[in-house]
Amino acid sequence: MPALLEVADLVTAYGKIEALKGVTLEVAEGGITCLLGPNGAGKTTLMYSIAGILKPRRGSIRLRGEELGGCAPHEAVSRGIALVPENRLVFPSMSVIDNLEAGAYRRQGGRTGRGEIDADLQRMFGRFPRLKERSAQLAGTLSGGEQQMLAVARALMSRPKLLLMDEPSLGLAPLVVEEIFRIVSELHRDGTTVFLVEQNAHMALKVAQHFYLMEQGRVSFSGDPGSLAEDEVIRRAYLGSAK
Amino acid sequence: MLDLLQSASDGVLYGATYALIGIGFTLVFGVMHKINMAYGAASVGGAYLGLMVLKLGAGLPVPLVFFGSFLAGGLLGWMVYLACFHFIPLSSPLATLMSTVGMLLLIDEVIVHTTDGMPQNYPALFDDVMLRFGEFTLRGDLLLVFLVSVACMAGLLALLYRTRLGLATRAVSQQAIAAQLCGIRLAQVNVTTFVITGLLGGIAGAMIGAAVGTLSPLLTTPLTVKGLIVTVIGGLGSVPGAIVAGLLVGGFENVIQLYRGVTERDLYVMLLLFAFLVFRPGGLFAPAGGRN
Ligand SMILES: Nc1ncnc2c1ncn2[C@@H]1O[C@H](COP(=O)(O)OP(=O)(O)OP(=O)(O)O)[C@@H](O)[C@H]1O
Ligand SMILES: [Mg+2]
């Protein structure tokens, strides 16, 4: 499969501290790619760099061969990148429906008709029935799992080519985690490319076709699920069991 | 008893201008987490600029003065943004505070110098119209001030809750990173917030001019202080809070003035603020933090 996203030698720093020290990886079009790594490895920094929230110091980020590195977040959204951020970051005092409207912000008032956005809203409510029941409720009053669903739906409202997800299972009960992963594989089946940051390697193994491991700002492993399970160190750290 | 009711209602009507100023402070704070200290001065400045309409020719209808103040307020809001925020690093909390204090002094000085420090008459829409209900009266000019202010607030709320721009503004003030991830441009929301609050400030300045009958540079400091008090009592970042607090402070200070005289009035307003800071530091309507 061709690469939808290619990151090459990316360096992103907070002041003097380089959190990414030359990251190179690719995300295959139409696939699910998973990024593993310990706390503080730089996974969130990478996600924010791709989404344009953080400005990389060096290196390149290409989407279908077009350079993105250093572009502003609204341009990244326009080019088809959406991020479900770490900790969900819903708009707490806005209703569920307004959160979703905000997700479609760049499509509103432009060439996209209102009807198309309304159709997408209905599609989200079909995929996330809990959100439909709570469409008028303030997002800050939703449960953690519902907020995660809302964050995913909000990101999808921009109709992304590439969906970035930063630890969507963080702090959720096992049943909710399963639901999130069921949605990830549904999205994949519908043709969305997903780049997923995940600590829960057991779950990720069920859905992802390619894995990267990041440690201290560098990619230290790249391989398919089979070779991930073969790797003694990774198995002990992420799968928590001997063979 | 009637006295009490009368001064409370006069105060509440006038308090609508405090509500407008409080909204201006609170919106900018919500969006940028910054205090624009120049806001009260820019609002009075907008009212002064509106007076220039009268200089263009006598016989022009008075509402044009109000409209001129409205537009001039928006222009000043934009200029304050450029001078005090656009080129200054937003990461330093003190830098923009000081730049806006500087702007407050600058606007004050410009007003003093161009008018030789003399108060200017501000036109009234109509003279001494009174609505009488037995002993109780509603002053026509105050009623006008109230109605115009309420209309502006309604317009603002419609903008915030019914338009794409309002959606972006609310999103930025609740979760700036997520707003950017939705494709909302922070700089654009910041500058439009300054223009919109400037427009409101221009109207507030005009309404104060219309209610008091004159404009004077002495208005800016009390207006700034009242605006900040209203913002804190309402809850930083809360528009409905600023509205309620503005009317409350207006009514409260006028009742105090009735019983304790004008010299003690602001002392009691400060006590009210103090009481809020101690017993309800988040204000009347502290914006919901949500769970994240
Ligand atoms: N705003 C910041 N200022 C300074 N340093 C930061 C900032 N954000 C992150 N860092 C540092 O950058 C490094 C990478 O952080 P990052 O959040 O990308 O890690 P992560 O892999 O997402 O970790 P986690 O699994 O805990 O979410 C860490 O050492 C962190 O301390
Ligand atoms: Mg992280």
Side-chain angles (χ1 to χ4, degrees), chain A residues 201-237:
Chain A
H202 280 292
M203 290 304 292
L205 269 173
K206 294 184 191 162
V207 296
Q209 293 94 39
H210 197 91
F211 284 86
Y212 289 99
L213 175 68
M214 198 162 151
E215 285 171 306
Q216 295 179 11
R218 289 195 178 86
V219 172
S220 58
F221 169 89
S222 162
D224 59 15
S227 56
L228 184 79
E230 299 282 295
D231 190 298
E232 188 63 35
V233 180
I234 296 182
R235 210 176 54 235
R236 232 180 285 135

Side-chain angles (χ1 to χ4, degrees), chain B residues 265-280:
Chain B
R265 184 187 70 189
D266 289 355
L267 196 73
Y268 283 89
V269 176
M270 286 296 174
L271 274 177
L272 180 68
L273 172 67
F274 185 71
F276 264 92
L277 287 177
V278 172
F279 296 109
R280 208 177 158 83

Side-chain angles (χ1 to χ4, degrees), chain A residues 44 86 166-167:
Chain A
T44 298
E86 187 172 50
D166 195 347
E167 299 203 44

Side-chain angles (χ1 to χ4, degrees), chain A residues 12-15 17-20 35-48 54 86-87 166-167 170 197 199 214 216-217:
Chain A
T12 302
Y14 299 99
I17 304 156
E18 291 187 347
L20 301 183
L35 180 65
L36 299 168
N39 295 125
K43 305 177 299 292
T44 298
T45 306
L46 176 63
M47 291 290 149
Y48 277 157
L54 294 173
E86 187 172 50
N87 299 322
D166 195 347
E167 299 203 44
L170 194 72
V197 171
Q199 302 276 12
M214 198 162 151
Q216 295 179 11

